[in-house]
Amino acid sequence: MPKRLRLTRRFPVSLTNDAYRTLHRFAAEAEITPDEALTFLFEHFGSVTNRDNLVARLRLFKAELAARKA
């Protein structure tokens, strides 16, 4: 029997405009809500990411983070 999807946790999230648009585009293409899209991505994080790409992208993001905050 499949596990029932219960969205019980809420947390404030700030997104860049690009991230917001990407999330909503992904949700629309998958025909699910943005909340369900985030739930899917985090529940299946290990299988939907490539470890090597993730590490490299995270390194670039962290290097640019200070400039993006300014």
Side-chain angles (χ1 to χ4, degrees):
M1 176 175 279
K3 190 168 50 167
R4 183 171 176 212
L5 179 62
R6 294 182 59 218
L7 302 176
T8 59
R9 306 258 186 220
R10 295 224 177 250
F11 63 99
V13 175
S14 297
L15 297 173
T16 63
N17 287 335
D18 288 342
Y20 181 85
R21 283 193 297 271
T22 301
L23 171 63
H24 282 262
R25 184 173 36 247
F26 170 70
E29 289 172 2
E31 299 178 345
I32 57 178
T33 68
D35 290 342
E36 293 165 341
L38 284 174
T39 298
F40 167 78
L41 290 171
F42 283 110
E43 284 186 356
H44 300 93
F45 188 77
S47 63
V48 298
T49 59
N50 176 292
R51 178 92 176 133
D52 296 331
N53 289 349
L54 177 64
V55 172
R57 291 279 184 172
L58 183 57
R59 189 177 303 119
L60 287 171
F61 178 79
K62 289 170 69 175
E64 298 170 350
L65 194 56
R68 293 175 79 169
K69 287 183 178 180

